[in-house]
Amino acid sequence: MEQKFFVYNTLTRRKELFIPLHAPNVGMYVCGPTVYGDPHLGHARPAITFDVLFRYLRHLGYKVRYVRNITDVGHLEHDADEGDDKIEKKARLEQLEPMEIAQHYSNRYHDAMAALNVLPPSIEPQATGHIIEQEQLVKEILDNGYAYESNGSIYFDIEKYNKEHHYGILSHRNLDDIINNSRELDGVGEKRNQADFALWKKAQPEHIMRWPSPWSDGFPGWHCECTAMGRKYLGAHFDIHGGGMDLVFPHHECEIAQAVASQGDQMVHYWMHNNMITINGQKMGKSLGNFITLEEFFTGSHPSLQQAYAPMTIRFFILSAHYRGTVDFSNDALLASQKGLDRLMTGMTDLDRIQPSGASDEATHRFVAELRQRCYDAMNDDLQTPTVISCLFEACHVINSVIDHKAAIDAADLKELSDTMHLFAFDLLGLKPEKGIDNSVREEAFGKVVDMVLELRAKAKEAKDWATSDRIRDTLAQDGFEVKDTKDGVTWRLNK
């Protein structure tokens, strides 16, 4: 059955049927990290969100070119062209070359993404590798009359652009409000309007990262890189541009203005944005100093954490909420995610223990027959991953009923159930069983010990030593083991 996939377009503020510009090819650009510090939970959310989108589009049969950039120059401390370059400032503090900083934290980001089972993009361009393309973009905007030179820097003329186009079309703001809400900055004397943004900044004498240009030795403005690299690798018009909701303004708004000013029209068909992760209702981020790095989650080394949380627990936590909703961090929420993931992974493991019967009962057959499309319906409705997870939990309940002989399933339904759960849990949601060093060895030994204890219980029952048999069962129950006597023998599981 062909799936109709709907996505929420930030530009139009409604869900729209996804129709690629050049099917079966799909072009997708997602804003990647500014690599001046360790990746944190706020970085994980867009990475996982658009990883699921990437996986699903490929599953639907599209050939996806996924571009996710690395920002290694031009991102100043404040979005309004004020302060130091974030990477250069870090390099001065650590007495390293800026590219050492960028490389180190790029490596750290890639390691964290691999741990979270985020697939690598098709292309991962760096801003410093595309200075020529960014200079060309600036020239086009200048030639079309939407930018001006001031003291060797080039600024986008928002007021002039707004007379012919609408600056604020994505964020649904008007220019008067933008101007009124813009802070007076130290360098505002260079600008005609305090809301104008830099396309090229002249480097001060102490600035390390600089390139020659027709205007000055300097560096590109932060917003230029995504417009220039998106066009280079995906063309003048492409399907999807994604990122965090905090990028809607000013970054993505400026990207739209740059595209229209340089080529006459917008580049992007669907704008998609994930919402924020918050701590006590405040956005998590480096600039606010309230972030927890992914490494700290994985090791439990942050004082706010009760324990270490495995990468798949973090992934499950993020997927348990719809990508456009906020997610507030708490230890309780992560513990609930850990428990939910354990429940799902146990269900996946229990699938292999089921012996099919001659025929499925009616309720089980109906559930299995409908499960795949129910999961597709959730994915097709703007990636409703929490609904998919809910469906998979229902499947776990069915699995338990079959194991407990409260339901029956035949071989065909068992295969369909297994295929569906593997498709959505592993292939599309990107979850996987957690296995640390020697975990499989420990689990095997652990199971053998429990089996040996249950064997002693069975011998006690044979000898009609009911007191010993009950004591073994009750002791295991106190430690979280659920022991069941069935007609096929004894089964057990650890419930905590």
Side-chain angles (χ1 to χ4, degrees):
M1 178 179 175
E2 185 177 347
Q3 305 299 324
K4 290 188 176 181
F5 179 36
F6 287 81
V7 298
Y8 183 86
N9 190 346
T10 307
L11 185 67
T12 60
R13 292 193 174 180
R14 66 172 184 262
K15 291 179 187 176
E16 298 177 3
L17 179 64
F18 179 71
I19 304 174
L21 295 169
H22 307 288
N25 299 300
V26 170
M28 180 169 77
Y29 188 101
V30 175
C31 289
T34 301
V35 282
Y36 69 103
D38 274 336
H40 56 71
L41 195 60
H43 291 116
R45 194 170 195 194
I48 291 169
T49 295
F50 292 102
D51 179 59
V52 171
L53 177 59
F54 183 35
R55 290 168 180 268
Y56 193 54
L57 288 170
R58 294 202 309 181
H59 172 70
L60 293 178
Y62 296 117
K63 183 179 180 182
V64 185
R65 178 176 289 175
Y66 176 16
V67 180
R68 187 186 68 205
N69 68 301
I70 293 285
T71 296
D72 54 359
V73 68
H75 195 166
L76 304 185
E77 288 180 282
H78 307 290
D79 288 341
D81 309 320
E82 185 184 25
D84 291 332
D85 183 293
K86 292 183 176 184
I87 291 170
E88 187 161 307
K89 180 179 179 181
K90 184 78 168 183
R92 283 201 302 270
L93 289 171
E94 299 195 10
Q95 296 185 314
L96 295 170
E97 280 287 334
M99 285 299 99
E100 284 183 272
I101 294 294
Q103 186 66 59
H104 173 75
Y105 289 113
S106 293
N107 293 344
R108 298 280 287 175
Y109 178 78
H110 292 144
D111 290 345
M113 293 305 104
L116 292 168
N117 202 27
V118 170
L119 299 174
S122 315
I123 302 172
E124 191 174 53
Q126 295 170 297
T128 53
H130 297 79
I131 301 297
I132 293 172
E133 289 82 359
Q134 292 174 80
E135 287 188 15
Q136 180 61 35
L137 174 68
V138 177
K139 288 176 187 175
E140 292 170 4
I141 297 172
L142 269 170
D143 290 345
N144 291 339
Y146 293 109
Y148 57 90
E149 183 176 353
S150 179
N151 297 329
S153 294
I154 308 296
Y155 292 99
F156 192 94
D157 193 336
I158 284 181
E159 200 160 23
K160 182 172 182 182
Y161 173 85
N162 196 60
K163 289 177 182 177
E164 301 169 35
H165 309 283
H166 177 200
Y167 182 77
I169 191 172
L170 184 67
S171 57
H172 298 268
R173 305 182 186 199
N174 64 64
L175 185 57
D176 289 340
D177 290 339
I178 293 169
I179 292 172
N180 291 336
N181 291 327
S182 296
R183 294 179 300 139
E184 289 287 346
L185 304 175
D186 294 339
V188 76
E190 289 189 351
K191 301 181 181 183
R192 294 175 184 172
N193 188 309
Q194 65 203 52
D196 293 348
F197 60 90
L199 298 171
W200 185 267
K201 288 282 283 183
K202 180 181 179 179
Q204 298 304 309
E206 68 276 8
H207 202 95
I208 304 169
M209 302 176 78
R210 59 173 66 217
W211 291 264
S213 79
W215 318 289
S216 64
D217 277 8
F219 54 93
W222 171 40
H223 310 303
C224 289
E225 62 177 285
C226 293
T227 305
M229 295 191 295
R231 186 160 63 185
K232 178 178 177 68
Y233 295 110
L234 299 174
H237 303 96
F238 58 88
D239 298 295
I240 297 170
H241 194 318
M245 202 169 284
D246 57 332
L247 297 178
V248 171
F249 186 88
H251 186 48
H252 290 165
E253 197 71 75
C254 294
E255 280 196 58
I256 289 177
Q258 289 172 161
V260 174
S262 63
Q263 67 182 40
D265 60 359
Q266 280 212 52
M267 295 167 62
V268 179
H269 191 179
Y270 304 94
W271 287 90
M272 297 179 67
H273 295 90
N274 64 275
N275 214 321
M276 298 297 96
I277 290 184
T278 57
I279 296 182
N280 300 321
Q282 187 181 40
K283 175 200 163 187
M284 176 183 288
K286 287 195 183 78
S287 59
L288 297 171
N290 65 349
F291 65 95
I292 303 173
T293 70
L294 292 171
E295 180 71 18
E296 287 170 332
F297 276 105
F298 301 160
T299 60
S301 57
H302 192 279
S304 298
L305 300 174
Q306 291 180 8
Q307 61 172 67
Y309 296 97
M312 283 304 101
T313 298
I314 301 298
R315 187 174 180 110
F316 189 87
F317 168 66
I318 288 171
L319 294 176
S320 295
H322 187 247
Y323 77 90
R324 287 192 290 112
T326 56
V327 175
D328 198 50
F329 157 78
S330 70
N331 279 283
D332 287 344
L334 283 170
L335 289 169
S337 292
Q338 181 175 281
K339 187 175 180 180
L341 179 64
D342 286 346
R343 178 184 169 196
L344 179 57
M345 291 299 110
T346 298
M348 303 291 287
T349 302
D350 286 346
L351 274 169
D352 297 331
R353 297 171 51 201
I354 293 177
Q355 294 297 319
S357 58
S360 300
D361 61 81
E362 184 179 346
T364 300
H365 176 71
R366 185 169 61 251
F367 174 83
V368 173
E370 295 172 353
L371 178 62
R372 184 182 293 258
Q373 192 55 50
R374 286 177 62 200
C375 291
Y376 271 129
D377 290 345
M379 292 294 286
N380 290 335
D381 183 17
D382 193 35
L383 302 177
Q384 293 284 349
T385 56
T387 305
V388 176
I389 290 171
S390 177
C391 291
L392 295 175
F393 280 160
E394 289 182 51
C396 291
H397 178 72
V398 169
I399 291 167
N400 289 339
S401 295
V402 172
I403 288 175
D404 293 343
H405 300 286
K406 296 175 182 176
I409 190 168
D410 63 26
D413 282 344
L414 179 59
K415 183 178 186 308
E416 171 62 13
L417 179 61
S418 179
D419 290 349
T420 299
M421 293 189 71
H422 279 78
L423 169 64
F424 286 94
F426 294 159
D427 299 344
L428 298 181
L429 295 187
L431 299 168
K432 64 179 182 179
E434 288 283 6
K435 288 198 175 180
I437 300 172
D438 294 333
N439 264 9
S440 59
V441 175
R442 282 197 292 267
E443 287 169 6
E444 184 179 353
F446 181 78
K448 286 180 178 177
V449 171
V450 176
D451 289 340
M452 182 180 70
V453 172
L454 290 175
E455 203 174 302
L456 293 172
R457 178 174 174 261
K459 289 181 178 177
K461 289 178 72 175
E462 283 178 17
K464 297 185 179 181
D465 182 357
W466 310 120
T468 301
S469 171
D470 290 346
R471 187 168 67 251
I472 291 173
R473 183 198 61 206
D474 293 343
T475 301
L476 287 170
Q478 288 173 9
D479 290 329
F481 289 91
E482 181 182 346
V483 177
K484 290 188 177 181
D485 295 301
T486 73
K487 65 180 183 181
D488 297 323
V490 181
T491 64
W492 64 270
R493 73 172 61 189
L494 183 59
N495 288 330
K496 67 176 183 179

